[in-house]
Amino acid sequence: MVTYEFNRESRLLTPGQFQTVFSKPLRFGSNHITVLITPNPEKTNRLGLAIAKKRVKLAVQRNRIKRQIRESFRLNQHNLPGIDMVIMVKSGTDKLDNQEIRRQLEKIWRKIIQRHK
């Protein structure tokens, strides 16, 4: 059965978990979003967000971007292979509307799924 939940087990929580992704990642990206992934030994998907204040100045915009990323991940996690991922954004992402952020994430999810088939 497919679950569409985003719970504590679906997140990267500790600095060590983030460090394993940053050490030897595969990179996927678009104009404004970069996704770093590594295989997860437990075959579950986990998401980490690294939205820098340097890239997106206003907290309101950072939180909006995080909500869009989490929701997209929640709806697509059952299609992805067992991976840990960290999502980072580039400057100018705060200028995009929600629909464009979701569109870019959908493209990245398709690339990841194609690469791991």
Side-chain angles (χ1 to χ4, degrees):
M1 183 173 149
V2 176
T3 61
Y4 290 101
E5 57 186 17
F6 184 72
N7 54 22
R8 192 170 174 85
E9 288 78 36
S10 302
R11 300 189 330 232
L12 295 178
L13 299 170
T14 65
Q17 292 171 340
F18 275 85
Q19 197 56 46
T20 58
V21 177
F22 284 124
S23 63
K24 288 189 179 180
L26 281 174
R27 289 180 177 268
F28 293 90
S30 66
N31 296 340
H32 293 91
I33 299 170
T34 302
V35 179
L36 307 175
I37 70 168
T38 56
N40 183 340
E42 292 129 30
K43 299 296 180 211
T44 58
N45 295 310
R46 295 189 300 181
L47 173 69
L49 299 171
I51 312 295
K53 195 187 284 188
K54 181 178 181 179
R55 303 281 176 234
V56 182
K57 300 280 188 243
L58 297 176
V60 170
Q61 295 296 339
R62 285 195 303 277
N63 292 335
R64 178 182 65 89
I65 292 166
K66 288 178 190 178
R67 279 195 305 274
Q68 294 301 317
I69 292 170
R70 278 192 219 105
E71 183 65 7
S72 181
F73 174 78
R74 185 183 72 81
L75 295 173
N76 291 286
Q77 66 184 339
H78 60 279
N79 294 326
L80 297 169
I83 55 175
D84 286 345
M85 68 177 77
V86 174
I87 297 182
M88 301 181 300
V89 298
K90 300 173 186 163
S91 297
T93 307
D94 53 343
K95 305 288 187 275
L96 300 178
D97 62 342
N98 293 344
Q99 191 173 11
E100 181 59 28
I101 292 171
R102 274 184 260 132
R103 193 176 304 120
Q104 287 192 17
L105 286 167
E106 290 293 328
K107 284 182 185 177
I108 293 170
W109 302 145
R110 281 196 299 270
K111 285 181 195 175
I112 292 172
I113 291 166
Q114 277 182 333
R115 181 94 180 257
H116 286 85
K117 285 221 173 193

